[in-house]
Amino acid sequence: MGKLEEIAELLTEEIHGFNQSIDRLEGLSEYLGDIKVKADATEVEQLLKEHLNKHREIQSRHDENLTEVYKAVKGTYRLPRWLVISFIVVHALTLASIIYSVHLHNKKKSWEEKYERVIRHYRAFMEENPEAKALYENWLNEEK
């Protein structure tokens, strides 16, 4: 029966240790039950406010830069000035050359008309004055 007493004593000790563990767990449970966890979001709120302020600053700088760009672009042309000026110069020169060409054509036409009138006058004169025509023809034959 010695062994039975040893086993009973061992079981008693184990039960006693188990009860002590349960007591400790109950104490910890009560302690943890009394602790109230508060959700403290002040740091998170602070970080969010700082981020929002930085974002507002950046946004205002972007708005200022965009306003400056709009002001700079507002007075610009779609085509470069040198291209517009060269376009105008080329067309002015083309127009001047066309006007000069028409003028020369009209001048040539005027000279041709005058030449035709002189020839008609010459022929009429020669037909009206046969002696002058004979003298002129003799003079031409002598020259040859």
Side-chain angles (χ1 to χ4, degrees):
M1 277 235 206
K3 281 203 168 205
L4 216 40
E5 285 178 11
E6 280 181 35
I7 291 176
E9 196 175 315
L10 204 68
L11 278 174
T12 316
E13 284 178 22
E14 288 293 325
I15 289 175
H16 182 59
F18 182 72
N19 283 337
Q20 283 179 348
S21 294
I22 287 179
D23 288 339
R24 270 191 294 150
L25 281 174
E26 283 177 354
L28 284 173
S29 176
E30 286 176 15
Y31 175 72
L32 289 176
D34 291 340
I35 295 176
K36 294 184 180 178
V37 178
K38 294 180 182 177
D40 188 19
T42 55
E43 290 182 30
V44 173
E45 286 178 13
Q46 175 123 4
L47 288 172
L48 284 173
K49 285 180 183 178
E50 287 177 15
H51 177 69
L52 184 61
N53 287 337
K54 285 180 185 177
H55 182 69
R56 284 182 183 154
E57 259 182 55
I58 292 171
Q59 185 66 33
S60 68
R61 277 189 264 143
H62 284 303
D63 290 342
E64 289 171 6
N65 290 339
L66 192 59
T67 304
E68 289 176 19
V69 168
Y70 281 143
K71 286 179 184 177
V73 170
K74 187 176 181 180
T76 61
Y77 299 101
R78 290 187 181 178
L79 297 172
R81 288 183 188 205
W82 64 266
L83 185 62
V84 173
I85 291 170
S86 9
F87 181 78
I88 292 171
V89 167
V90 165
H91 283 285
L93 289 175
T94 304
L95 182 63
S97 67
I98 289 172
I99 291 172
Y100 184 70
S101 173
V102 168
H103 174 72
L104 285 180
H105 178 71
N106 289 340
K107 193 173 185 181
K108 182 179 176 186
K109 199 172 189 181
S110 171
W111 280 103
E112 287 174 353
E113 288 173 359
K114 287 179 184 177
Y115 178 74
E116 288 296 322
R117 275 189 286 166
V118 167
I119 295 296
R120 275 193 309 246
H121 178 72
Y122 168 76
R123 287 187 183 149
F125 177 77
M126 291 297 177
E127 286 176 8
E128 289 175 4
N129 299 311
E131 312 88 36
K133 184 177 182 182
L135 284 173
Y136 178 72
E137 287 175 354
N138 285 339
W139 176 76
L140 277 178
N141 289 336
E142 288 175 6
E143 289 289 318
K144 289 183 184 180

